[in-house]
Amino acid sequence: MPRVTFVSLEGEHHVVDAPAGATLMRAAVDHGVPGIDGDCGGHCACATCHVYIGEPWSARLSPRPDAEQDMLGLAVDPRPTSRLACQIRLTDALDGIVVSLPEGQH
């Protein structure tokens, strides 16, 4: 079961275990992580699950599809490492991933 650490803007860590195959967004919502709303239910139709993926984790992810790139245009302070948590499926290879939350979602 992959472990995920969500880091708030204030530096607060929320560590959750989620089943492989779940999305980062689902892991956050199911565990009450503040700042991840997932208003669209994981359909890549909003940007309320925007996160920053740090190294070395961002290199392990597939490139952003066009729909995700478009939605990130609606996000507050998008960066090269920005992703929508609903588009990242957890795998055993992502065990230990650390993601940071942007200011606009706190």
Side-chain angles (χ1 to χ4, degrees):
M1 186 169 288
R3 178 164 285 183
V4 180
T5 301
F6 295 93
V7 182
S8 73
L9 186 64
E10 297 81 20
E12 185 176 342
H13 288 66
H14 300 273
V15 180
V16 303
D17 293 317
T23 63
L24 279 177
M25 185 273 302
R26 180 59 35 213
V29 170
D30 287 352
H31 291 89
V33 174
I36 300 287
D37 295 331
D39 288 344
C40 72
H43 296 287
C44 196
C46 70
T48 62
C49 66
H50 175 215
V51 295
Y52 302 123
I53 308 292
E55 290 299 334
W57 305 106
S58 63
R60 298 181 188 186
L61 301 177
S62 60
R64 290 184 287 235
D66 289 342
E68 181 180 2
Q69 185 65 39
D70 291 345
M71 283 296 107
L72 284 169
L74 303 174
V76 174
D77 192 23
R79 299 177 184 171
T81 61
S82 289
R83 295 296 304 258
L84 296 181
C86 68
Q87 297 303 297
I88 299 172
R89 291 228 173 257
L90 292 168
T91 65
D92 290 334
L94 294 177
D95 183 33
I97 191 171
V98 178
V99 300
S100 299
L101 303 176
E103 181 175 4
Q105 290 178 193
H106 294 274

Coordinates of all heavy atoms in Angstrom, one line a residue:
M1 N 0.9 -1.2 0.0 CA 0.0 0.0 0.0 C 0.9 1.2 0.0 O 1.6 1.5 0.9 CB -0.9 0.0 1.2 CG -1.9 1.1 1.2 SD -3.2 0.9 2.5 CE -4.2 -0.4 1.9
P2 N 0.8 2.0 -1.1 CA 1.7 3.2 -1.1 C 1.4 4.2 0.0 O 0.2 4.5 0.3 CB 1.4 3.8 -2.5 CG 0.8 2.7 -3.3 CD 0.1 1.8 -2.3
R3 N 2.4 4.8 0.5 CA 2.3 5.9 1.5 C 2.5 7.2 0.8 O 3.5 7.4 0.0 CB 3.3 5.7 2.6 CG 3.3 6.8 3.6 CD 4.0 6.4 4.9 NE 3.0 5.5 5.5 CZ 3.3 4.9 6.7 NH1 4.4 5.2 7.4 NH2 2.4 4.1 7.3
V4 N 1.7 8.2 1.1 CA 1.8 9.5 0.5 C 1.9 10.6 1.6 O 1.2 10.5 2.6 CB 0.5 9.9 -0.4 CG1 0.6 11.2 -1.0 CG2 0.2 8.8 -1.4
T5 N 2.8 11.6 1.4 CA 2.9 12.7 2.3 C 2.4 13.9 1.6 O 3.0 14.3 0.5 CB 4.3 12.9 2.8 OG1 4.7 11.7 3.5 CG2 4.4 14.0 3.8
F6 N 1.4 14.6 2.1 CA 0.9 15.8 1.5 C 1.4 16.9 2.5 O 1.2 16.8 3.7 CB -0.7 15.9 1.5 CG -1.3 14.9 0.6 CD1 -1.7 13.6 1.1 CD2 -1.5 15.2 -0.7 CE1 -2.3 12.7 0.2 CE2 -2.1 14.3 -1.6 CZ -2.5 13.1 -1.1
V7 N 2.1 17.9 1.9 CA 2.7 19.0 2.7 C 1.9 20.3 2.4 O 1.9 20.8 1.3 CB 4.2 19.1 2.4 CG1 4.8 20.2 3.3 CG2 4.9 17.8 2.5
S8 N 1.4 20.9 3.5 CA 0.6 22.1 3.3 C 1.6 23.3 3.2 O 2.8 23.1 3.4 CB -0.2 22.4 4.6 OG 0.6 22.8 5.7
L9 N 1.1 24.4 2.8 CA 1.9 25.6 2.6 C 2.6 26.0 3.9 O 3.8 26.5 3.9 CB 1.1 26.8 2.2 CG 1.8 28.1 1.8 CD1 2.7 27.9 0.6 CD2 0.8 29.2 1.5
E10 N 2.0 25.7 5.0 CA 2.6 26.0 6.4 C 3.6 24.9 6.8 O 4.1 25.0 7.9 CB 1.4 26.1 7.4 CG 0.5 27.2 7.2 CD -0.6 26.9 6.1 OE1 -0.8 25.7 5.8 OE2 -1.1 27.8 5.5
G11 N 3.8 23.9 6.0 CA 4.7 22.8 6.3 C 4.1 21.7 7.1 O 4.9 20.8 7.5
E12 N 2.8 21.7 7.3 CA 2.2 20.6 8.0 C 2.1 19.3 7.1 O 1.8 19.4 5.9 CB 0.8 21.0 8.4 CG 0.1 19.9 9.3 CD -1.3 20.4 9.7 OE1 -1.6 21.6 9.7 OE2 -2.1 19.5 10.1
H13 N 2.5 18.2 7.7 CA 2.5 16.9 6.9 C 1.3 16.1 7.2 O 1.0 15.9 8.4 CB 3.8 16.1 7.2 CG 5.1 16.7 6.7 ND1 5.6 17.9 7.1 CD2 5.9 16.3 5.7 CE1 6.7 18.2 6.4 NE2 6.9 17.2 5.6
H14 N 0.7 15.6 6.2 CA -0.5 14.7 6.3 C 0.0 13.4 5.6 O 0.1 13.4 4.4 CB -1.7 15.2 5.7 CG -2.2 16.5 6.3 ND1 -3.0 16.6 7.4 CD2 -1.9 17.8 5.9 CE1 -3.2 17.8 7.7 NE2 -2.6 18.6 6.8
V15 N 0.2 12.4 6.4 CA 0.7 11.1 5.8 C -0.4 10.1 5.7 O -1.1 9.9 6.8 CB 1.9 10.5 6.7 CG1 2.4 9.2 6.1 CG2 3.0 11.5 6.8
V16 N -0.7 9.6 4.6 CA -1.8 8.6 4.4 C -1.3 7.4 3.6 O -0.4 7.5 2.8 CB -3.0 9.3 3.6 CG1 -3.5 10.5 4.4 CG2 -2.6 9.6 2.2
D17 N -1.9 6.3 3.9 CA -1.7 5.1 3.1 C -2.9 4.9 2.3 O -4.1 5.0 2.7 CB -1.5 3.9 4.1 CG -0.2 4.0 4.9 OD1 0.8 4.3 4.3 OD2 -0.3 3.7 6.1
A18 N -2.7 4.6 1.0 CA -3.8 4.4 0.1 C -3.5 3.2 -0.8 O -2.3 2.8 -1.1 CB -4.0 5.6 -0.8
P19 N -4.5 2.5 -1.3 CA -4.3 1.3 -2.1 C -3.7 1.6 -3.5 O -4.0 2.7 -4.0 CB -5.7 0.7 -2.2 CG -6.6 1.8 -1.9 CD -5.9 2.7 -1.0
A20 N -2.9 0.8 -4.0 CA -2.4 0.9 -5.3 C -3.6 1.0 -6.3 O -4.5 0.2 -6.1 CB -1.4 -0.2 -5.7
G21 N -3.5 1.9 -7.2 CA -4.6 2.0 -8.2 C -5.5 3.2 -7.8 O -6.2 3.7 -8.7
A22 N -5.5 3.7 -6.6 CA -6.2 4.9 -6.2 C -5.5 6.1 -6.7 O -4.3 6.0 -7.0 CB -6.4 5.0 -4.7
T23 N -6.2 7.2 -6.9 CA -5.6 8.4 -7.3 C -5.1 9.2 -6.1 O -5.6 9.0 -5.0 CB -6.5 9.3 -8.1 OG1 -7.6 9.7 -7.3 CG2 -7.0 8.6 -9.4
L24 N -4.1 10.1 -6.3 CA -3.7 11.0 -5.2 C -4.9 11.7 -4.7 O -5.0 11.9 -3.5 CB -2.6 11.9 -5.7 CG -1.2 11.4 -5.8 CD1 -0.3 12.5 -6.4 CD2 -0.7 11.0 -4.5
M25 N -5.8 12.2 -5.6 CA -6.9 13.0 -5.1 C -7.8 12.1 -4.2 O -8.2 12.6 -3.1 CB -7.7 13.5 -6.3 CG -8.9 14.4 -6.0 SD -10.5 13.5 -5.6 CE -10.8 12.6 -7.1
R26 N -8.1 10.9 -4.6 CA -8.9 10.0 -3.8 C -8.3 9.7 -2.4 O -8.9 9.7 -1.4 CB -9.2 8.7 -4.5 CG -10.1 7.7 -3.8 CD -11.5 8.1 -3.4 NE -12.2 9.0 -4.3 CZ -13.1 9.9 -3.9 NH1 -13.4 10.0 -2.6 NH2 -13.7 10.7 -4.7
A27 N -7.0 9.5 -2.4 CA -6.2 9.3 -1.2 C -6.4 10.5 -0.2 O -6.7 10.3 1.0 CB -4.8 9.0 -1.4
A28 N -6.3 11.7 -0.8 CA -6.4 12.9 0.0 C -7.8 13.1 0.5 O -8.0 13.4 1.7 CB -6.0 14.1 -0.8
V29 N -8.8 13.0 -0.3 CA -10.2 13.2 0.0 C -10.6 12.2 1.1 O -11.3 12.5 2.1 CB -11.1 13.2 -1.2 CG1 -12.6 13.2 -0.8 CG2 -10.8 14.4 -2.1
D30 N -10.3 10.9 0.8 CA -10.7 9.8 1.7 C -10.1 10.0 3.1 O -10.6 9.5 4.1 CB -10.3 8.5 1.2 CG -11.2 8.0 0.0 OD1 -12.2 8.7 -0.3 OD2 -10.8 7.0 -0.6
H31 N -9.0 10.7 3.2 CA -8.3 10.9 4.5 C -8.4 12.3 5.1 O -7.8 12.7 6.0 CB -6.8 10.5 4.4 CG -6.7 9.0 4.2 ND1 -6.6 8.4 3.0 CD2 -6.5 8.0 5.2 CE1 -6.5 7.1 3.2 NE2 -6.4 6.8 4.5
G32 N -9.3 13.1 4.4 CA -9.6 14.4 5.0 C -8.4 15.4 4.9 O -8.3 16.3 5.7
V33 N -7.5 15.3 3.9 CA -6.4 16.2 3.8 C -6.9 17.6 3.4 O -7.6 17.7 2.3 CB -5.4 15.7 2.7 CG1 -4.3 16.7 2.5 CG2 -4.8 14.3 3.2
P34 N -6.7 18.6 4.2 CA -7.2 19.9 3.8 C -6.5 20.5 2.6 O -5.3 20.2 2.4 CB -6.9 20.8 5.1 CG -5.9 20.0 5.9 CD -6.0 18.6 5.4
G35 N -7.2 21.1 1.7 CA -6.7 21.7 0.5 C -6.9 20.9 -0.7 O -6.6 21.4 -1.8
I36 N -7.4 19.7 -0.6 CA -7.7 18.9 -1.8 C -9.2 18.6 -1.7 O -9.7 17.9 -0.9 CB -6.9 17.5 -1.8 CG1 -5.4 17.8 -1.8 CG2 -7.4 16.7 -3.0 CD1 -4.8 18.2 -3.1
D37 N -9.9 19.3 -2.7 CA -11.3 19.2 -2.7 C -11.8 18.1 -3.7 O -12.8 17.4 -3.4 CB -12.0 20.5 -3.0 CG -11.7 21.5 -1.8 OD1 -11.6 21.1 -0.7 OD2 -11.7 22.7 -2.1
G38 N -11.3 18.1 -4.9 CA -11.7 17.2 -5.9 C -13.2 17.4 -6.2 O -14.0 16.5 -6.3
D39 N -13.5 18.7 -6.5 CA -14.9 19.0 -6.7 C -15.6 18.3 -7.9 O -16.7 18.0 -7.9 CB -15.1 20.5 -7.0 CG -14.9 21.4 -5.7 OD1 -15.0 20.8 -4.6 OD2 -14.6 22.6 -5.9
C40 N -14.8 17.9 -8.9 CA -15.3 17.3 -10.1 C -15.3 15.7 -9.9 O -15.7 15.0 -10.8 CB -14.6 17.7 -11.3 SG -12.9 16.9 -11.5
G41 N -14.9 15.3 -8.8 CA -14.9 13.8 -8.5 C -13.8 13.0 -9.3 O -13.9 11.8 -9.4
G42 N -12.8 13.7 -9.7 CA -11.7 13.1 -10.4 C -11.8 12.9 -11.9 O -11.2 12.1 -12.5
H43 N -12.6 13.8 -12.5 CA -12.9 13.7 -13.9 C -12.0 14.8 -14.7 O -12.4 15.0 -15.9 CB -14.4 13.9 -14.2 CG -15.2 12.8 -13.7 ND1 -15.2 11.6 -14.2 CD2 -16.0 12.8 -12.6 CE1 -16.0 10.8 -13.5 NE2 -16.5 11.5 -12.5
C44 N -11.0 15.3 -14.1 CA -10.2 16.3 -14.8 C -11.0 17.5 -15.4 O -10.8 17.9 -16.5 CB -9.3 15.6 -15.9 SG -7.9 16.6 -16.4
A45 N -11.9 17.9 -14.6 CA -12.8 19.0 -15.0 C -12.7 20.2 -14.1 O -13.6 21.1 -14.2 CB -14.2 18.5 -15.1
C46 N -11.8 20.3 -13.2 CA -11.6 21.4 -12.3 C -10.1 21.4 -11.9 O -9.3 20.6 -12.4 CB -12.5 21.4 -11.1 SG -12.1 20.1 -9.9
A47 N -9.7 22.3 -11.1 CA -8.3 22.3 -10.6 C -8.2 22.3 -9.1 O -7.3 22.8 -8.5 CB -7.6 23.5 -11.2
T48 N -9.3 21.8 -8.4 CA -9.3 21.8 -7.0 C -8.5 20.7 -6.3 O -8.5 20.5 -5.1 CB -10.7 21.7 -6.5 OG1 -11.3 20.5 -6.9 CG2 -11.6 22.9 -7.0
C49 N -7.7 20.0 -7.1 CA -6.8 19.0 -6.6 C -5.4 19.2 -7.1 O -4.5 18.3 -7.1 CB -7.2 17.5 -6.9 SG -7.2 17.1 -8.7
H50 N -5.1 20.5 -7.4 CA -3.8 20.9 -7.9 C -2.7 20.6 -6.8 O -2.9 21.0 -5.6 CB -3.8 22.4 -8.2 CG -2.5 23.0 -8.6 ND1 -2.2 24.3 -8.3 CD2 -1.5 22.5 -9.3 CE1 -1.0 24.6 -8.8 NE2 -0.6 23.5 -9.4
V51 N -1.6 20.0 -7.2 CA -0.5 19.8 -6.3 C 0.8 20.0 -7.0 O 0.8 20.1 -8.3 CB -0.5 18.3 -5.7 CG1 -1.7 18.1 -4.8 CG2 -0.4 17.3 -6.9
Y52 N 1.9 20.2 -6.3 CA 3.2 20.2 -6.8 C 3.9 18.9 -6.5 O 3.9 18.5 -5.4 CB 4.0 21.4 -6.2 CG 3.4 22.7 -6.4 CD1 3.1 23.5 -5.3 CD2 3.1 23.2 -7.7 CE1 2.6 24.8 -5.4 CE2 2.5 24.5 -7.8 CZ 2.3 25.3 -6.7 OH 1.7 26.5 -6.8
I53 N 4.5 18.3 -7.5 CA 5.2 17.0 -7.4 C 6.7 17.3 -7.4 O 7.2 17.9 -8.3 CB 4.9 16.1 -8.5 CG1 3.4 15.9 -8.7 CG2 5.6 14.7 -8.3 CD1 2.7 15.2 -7.6
G54 N 7.4 17.0 -6.3 CA 8.8 17.2 -6.2 C 9.6 16.1 -6.8 O 9.1 15.1 -7.2
E55 N 10.9 16.4 -7.0 CA 11.8 15.4 -7.4 C 12.1 14.4 -6.3 O 12.1 14.8 -5.1 CB 13.1 16.0 -7.9 CG 13.0 16.8 -9.2 CD 12.5 15.9 -10.4 OE1 12.8 14.7 -10.4 OE2 11.9 16.4 -11.3
P56 N 12.4 13.2 -6.5 CA 12.5 12.5 -7.8 C 11.2 12.0 -8.4 O 11.2 11.4 -9.4 CB 13.4 11.3 -7.5 CG 13.0 10.9 -6.1 CD 12.7 12.3 -5.4
W57 N 10.1 12.3 -7.7 CA 8.8 11.8 -8.0 C 8.3 12.2 -9.4 O 7.7 11.5 -10.1 CB 7.8 12.1 -6.9 CG 8.3 11.6 -5.6 CD1 8.8 12.3 -4.6 CD2 8.4 10.2 -5.2 NE1 9.2 11.5 -3.6 CE2 9.0 10.2 -3.9 CE3 8.2 9.0 -5.8 CZ2 9.3 9.1 -3.2 CZ3 8.4 7.8 -5.1 CH2 9.0 7.9 -3.8
S58 N 8.5 13.5 -9.7 CA 7.9 14.0 -11.0 C 8.5 13.3 -12.2 O 7.8 13.1 -13.2 CB 8.1 15.5 -11.1 OG 9.5 15.8 -11.2
A59 N 9.7 12.8 -12.1 CA 10.3 12.1 -13.2 C 9.7 10.7 -13.4 O 9.8 10.1 -14.4 CB 11.8 12.0 -13.0
R60 N 9.0 10.2 -12.4 CA 8.4 8.9 -12.4 C 7.0 8.8 -13.0 O 6.4 7.8 -13.2 CB 8.4 8.2 -11.0 CG 9.8 8.0 -10.5 CD 9.8 7.4 -9.1 NE 11.1 7.4 -8.5 CZ 11.4 6.9 -7.4 NH1 10.4 6.2 -6.7 NH2 12.6 6.9 -6.9
L61 N 6.5 10.0 -13.2 CA 5.1 10.1 -13.7 C 5.1 10.3 -15.2 O 6.0 10.8 -15.8 CB 4.4 11.3 -13.1 CG 4.4 11.4 -11.5 CD1 3.8 12.7 -11.1 CD2 3.6 10.2 -11.0
S62 N 4.0 9.8 -15.8 CA 3.8 10.0 -17.2 C 3.5 11.5 -17.5 O 3.1 12.2 -16.6 CB 2.6 9.2 -17.7 OG 1.4 9.5 -17.0
P63 N 3.8 11.9 -18.7 CA 3.5 13.3 -19.0 C 2.1 13.7 -18.9 O 1.2 12.9 -18.9 CB 3.9 13.4 -20.5 CG 4.8 12.2 -20.8 CD 4.3 11.2 -19.8
R64 N 1.8 15.0 -18.7 CA 0.5 15.5 -18.5 C -0.3 15.4 -19.8 O 0.2 15.8 -20.9 CB 0.4 16.9 -18.1 CG 0.9 17.2 -16.7 CD 0.8 18.7 -16.4 NE 1.8 19.5 -17.1 CZ 2.6 20.3 -16.5 NH1 2.6 20.5 -15.2 NH2 3.5 20.9 -17.2
P65 N -1.5 14.8 -19.8 CA -2.3 14.8 -21.0 C -2.8 16.2 -21.3 O -2.8 17.1 -20.4 CB -3.5 13.9 -20.7 CG -3.2 13.3 -19.3 CD -2.1 14.0 -18.7
D66 N -3.3 16.5 -22.5 CA -3.7 17.8 -22.9 C -4.9 18.3 -22.0 O -4.9 19.5 -21.6 CB -4.2 17.8 -24.3 CG -3.1 17.7 -25.3 OD1 -1.9 17.9 -24.9 OD2 -3.4 17.3 -26.5
A67 N -5.8 17.5 -21.6 CA -6.9 17.9 -20.7 C -6.4 18.4 -19.4 O -6.9 19.4 -18.9 CB -7.9 16.7 -20.6
E68 N -5.4 17.7 -18.8 CA -4.9 18.1 -17.6 C -4.1 19.4 -17.7 O -4.3 20.3 -16.9 CB -3.9 17.0 -17.0 CG -3.3 17.4 -15.7 CD -2.4 16.3 -15.1 OE1 -2.1 15.3 -15.8 OE2 -1.9 16.5 -14.0
Q69 N -3.4 19.5 -18.8 CA -2.7 20.8 -19.0 C -3.6 22.0 -19.1 O -3.4 23.0 -18.6 CB -1.8 20.7 -20.3 CG -1.0 21.9 -20.6 CD 0.1 22.1 -19.6 OE1 0.7 21.1 -19.1 NE2 0.4 23.3 -19.2
D70 N -4.8 21.7 -19.8 CA -5.8 22.8 -19.9 C -6.3 23.2 -18.6 O -6.5 24.3 -18.3 CB -6.9 22.3 -20.8 CG -6.5 22.2 -22.3 OD1 -5.4 22.7 -22.7 OD2 -7.3 21.6 -23.1
M71 N -6.7 22.2 -17.7 CA -7.2 22.5 -16.4 C -6.2 23.2 -15.5 O -6.6 24.0 -14.7 CB -7.7 21.2 -15.7 CG -9.0 20.6 -16.3 SD -10.4 21.8 -16.0 CE -10.7 22.4 -17.6
L72 N -4.9 22.9 -15.7 CA -3.9 23.5 -14.9 C -3.8 25.0 -15.2 O -3.4 25.8 -14.4 CB -2.6 22.9 -15.0 CG -2.4 21.5 -14.3 CD1 -1.2 20.8 -14.7 CD2 -2.4 21.8 -12.8
G73 N -4.3 25.4 -16.4 CA -4.4 26.8 -16.7 C -5.4 27.6 -15.8 O -5.3 28.8 -15.7
L74 N -6.3 26.9 -15.1 CA -7.2 27.5 -14.2 C -6.7 27.5 -12.7 O -7.3 28.1 -11.8 CB -8.5 26.7 -14.2 CG -9.2 26.6 -15.5 CD1 -10.5 25.7 -15.4 CD2 -9.6 28.0 -16.0
A75 N -5.6 26.8 -12.5 CA -5.0 26.7 -11.2 C -4.3 27.9 -10.7 O -3.8 28.7 -11.6 CB -4.0 25.5 -11.1
V76 N -4.2 28.1 -9.4 CA -3.5 29.2 -8.8 C -2.0 28.9 -8.8 O -1.6 27.8 -8.4 CB -4.0 29.6 -7.4 CG1 -3.1 30.6 -6.7 CG2 -5.4 30.0 -7.4
D77 N -1.1 29.7 -9.4 CA 0.3 29.6 -9.3 C 0.8 28.2 -9.9 O 1.5 27.5 -9.2 CB 0.8 29.8 -7.9 CG 2.4 29.9 -7.9 OD1 3.0 30.3 -8.9 OD2 2.9 29.6 -6.8
P78 N 0.4 27.9 -11.2 CA 0.9 26.6 -11.7 C 2.4 26.7 -12.0 O 2.9 27.8 -12.3 CB 0.1 26.5 -13.1 CG -0.3 27.9 -13.4 CD -0.5 28.6 -12.1
R79 N 3.1 25.6 -11.8 CA 4.5 25.5 -12.0 C 4.8 24.3 -12.9 O 4.0 23.5 -13.2 CB 5.2 25.3 -10.6 CG 4.9 26.5 -9.7 CD 5.5 26.2 -8.3 NE 5.2 27.3 -7.4 CZ 5.4 27.2 -6.1 NH1 6.0 26.2 -5.6 NH2 5.0 28.2 -5.3
P80 N 6.1 24.2 -13.3 CA 6.5 23.1 -14.2 C 6.2 21.7 -13.5 O 5.9 20.7 -14.2 CB 7.9 23.3 -14.4 CG 8.2 24.7 -14.3 CD 7.2 25.2 -13.2
T81 N 6.1 21.7 -12.2 CA 5.9 20.4 -11.5 C 4.4 20.3 -11.0 O 4.1 19.4 -10.3 CB 6.8 20.3 -10.2 OG1 6.5 21.4 -9.3 CG2 8.3 20.3 -10.6
S82 N 3.6 21.2 -11.5 CA 2.1 21.1 -11.2 C 1.5 19.9 -11.8 O 1.8 19.6 -13.0 CB 1.4 22.4 -11.7 OG 1.8 23.5 -10.9
R83 N 0.6 19.3 -11.1 CA -0.2 18.2 -11.6 C -1.6 18.2 -10.9 O -1.7 18.9 -9.9 CB 0.4 16.8 -11.3 CG 1.7 16.5 -11.9 CD 1.6 16.4 -13.5 NE 0.7 15.5 -14.0 CZ 1.0 14.3 -14.5 NH1 2.3 13.9 -14.5 NH2 0.1 13.5 -15.0
L84 N -2.5 17.6 -11.5 CA -3.8 17.4 -10.9 C -3.8 16.0 -10.2 O -3.5 15.0 -10.8 CB -5.0 17.5 -11.9 CG -5.2 18.8 -12.6 CD1 -6.3 18.7 -13.5 CD2 -5.4 19.9 -11.6
A85 N -4.0 16.0 -8.9 CA -3.9 14.8 -8.1 C -4.9 13.7 -8.6 O -4.6 12.5 -8.5 CB -4.2 15.1 -6.7
C86 N -6.0 14.1 -9.3 CA -6.9 13.1 -9.8 C -6.4 12.4 -11.0 O -6.9 11.3 -11.4 CB -8.2 13.8 -10.2 SG -8.2 14.9 -11.6
Q87 N -5.3 12.8 -11.6 CA -4.7 12.2 -12.8 C -3.5 11.3 -12.5 O -2.9 10.8 -13.4 CB -4.4 13.3 -13.8 CG -5.6 14.1 -14.3 CD -6.6 13.2 -14.9 OE1 -6.4 12.5 -15.9 NE2 -7.8 13.1 -14.3
I88 N -3.2 11.2 -11.2 CA -2.0 10.4 -10.8 C -2.5 9.2 -10.0 O -3.0 9.3 -8.9 CB -1.0 11.2 -10.0 CG1 -0.5 12.4 -10.8 CG2 0.1 10.3 -9.5 CD1 0.3 13.4 -10.0
R89 N -2.3 8.0 -10.7 CA -2.7 6.7 -10.0 C -1.5 6.2 -9.2 O -0.4 6.2 -9.7 CB -3.0 5.7 -11.0 CG -4.3 6.0 -11.7 CD -5.3 4.8 -11.7 NE -6.5 5.3 -12.2 CZ -7.6 5.5 -11.5 NH1 -7.6 5.2 -10.2 NH2 -8.7 5.9 -12.0
L90 N -1.8 5.9 -8.0 CA -0.7 5.4 -7.1 C -0.3 4.0 -7.5 O -1.2 3.1 -7.8 CB -1.2 5.4 -5.6 CG -1.4 6.8 -5.1 CD1 -2.1 6.7 -3.7 CD2 0.0 7.4 -4.9
T91 N 1.0 3.7 -7.5 CA 1.5 2.4 -7.7 C 2.5 2.1 -6.6 O 2.9 3.0 -5.9 CB 2.3 2.3 -9.1 OG1 3.4 3.2 -9.0 CG2 1.4 2.7 -10.2
D92 N 3.0 0.9 -6.5 CA 4.0 0.6 -5.5 C 5.3 1.4 -5.7 O 6.0 1.7 -4.8 CB 4.3 -0.9 -5.5 CG 3.1 -1.7 -4.9 OD1 2.3 -1.2 -4.1 OD2 3.0 -2.9 -5.3
A93 N 5.6 1.7 -7.0 CA 6.7 2.5 -7.3 C 6.6 3.9 -6.8 O 7.7 4.6 -6.7 CB 7.0 2.5 -8.8
L94 N 5.4 4.4 -6.5 CA 5.3 5.7 -5.9 C 5.2 5.7 -4.4 O 4.9 6.8 -3.8 CB 4.0 6.4 -6.5 CG 4.1 6.7 -8.0 CD1 2.8 7.3 -8.5 CD2 5.3 7.6 -8.3
D95 N 5.4 4.6 -3.8 CA 5.4 4.5 -2.3 C 6.4 5.5 -1.7 O 7.6 5.5 -2.1 CB 5.8 3.1 -1.8 CG 5.7 2.9 -0.3 OD1 4.9 3.6 0.3 OD2 6.6 2.2 0.2
G96 N 5.9 6.4 -0.9 CA 6.8 7.4 -0.3 C 6.7 8.8 -1.0 O 7.4 9.7 -0.5
I97 N 5.9 8.9 -2.0 CA 5.8 10.2 -2.7 C 5.4 11.3 -1.8 O 4.6 11.2 -0.9 CB 4.8 10.0 -3.9 CG1 4.9 11.3 -4.8 CG2 3.4 9.8 -3.4 CD1 4.1 11.1 -6.1
V98 N 6.0 12.5 -2.1 CA 5.7 13.7 -1.3 C 5.2 14.7 -2.3 O 5.8 15.0 -3.3 CB 7.0 14.2 -0.6 CG1 6.7 15.5 0.1 CG2 7.6 13.2 0.3
V99 N 4.0 15.3 -2.0 CA 3.4 16.3 -2.8 C 3.1 17.5 -1.9 O 2.8 17.4 -0.7 CB 2.1 15.8 -3.5 CG1 2.4 14.7 -4.4 CG2 1.1 15.5 -2.5
S100 N 3.3 18.7 -2.5 CA 3.0 20.0 -1.8 C 1.8 20.6 -2.3 O 1.5 20.5 -3.5 CB 4.2 20.9 -2.0 OG 5.4 20.3 -1.5
L101 N 1.1 21.3 -1.5 CA -0.2 22.0 -1.8 C 0.1 23.4 -2.1 O 0.9 24.1 -1.4 CB -1.2 21.8 -0.7 CG -1.5 20.4 -0.3 CD1 -2.5 20.4 0.9 CD2 -2.1 19.6 -1.5
P102 N -0.5 24.0 -3.1 CA -0.3 25.4 -3.4 C -1.1 26.3 -2.5 O -2.0 25.9 -1.8 CB -0.9 25.5 -4.9 CG -1.8 24.4 -5.0 CD -1.4 23.3 -4.1
E103 N -0.7 27.6 -2.5 CA -1.3 28.5 -1.6 C -2.8 28.7 -1.7 O -3.5 28.8 -0.8 CB -0.6 29.9 -1.7 CG -1.1 30.9 -0.8 CD -0.4 32.3 -0.9 OE1 0.5 32.4 -1.8 OE2 -0.7 33.1 -0.1
G104 N -3.2 28.7 -3.0 CA -4.6 29.0 -3.3 C -5.6 27.9 -2.8 O -6.8 28.1 -2.8
Q105 N -5.1 26.8 -2.3 CA -6.0 25.7 -1.8 C -6.0 25.5 -0.3 O -6.3 24.4 0.2 CB -5.6 24.4 -2.6 CG -6.0 24.5 -4.0 CD -5.6 23.3 -4.8 OE1 -5.6 23.4 -6.0 NE2 -5.2 22.2 -4.2
H106 N -5.6 26.5 0.4 CA -5.5 26.3 1.9 C -6.6 27.1 2.6 O -7.2 28.0 2.1 CB -4.2 26.8 2.4 CG -3.1 26.0 1.9 ND1 -2.7 24.8 2.6 CD2 -2.3 26.0 0.8 CE1 -1.7 24.2 1.9 NE2 -1.4 25.0 0.9

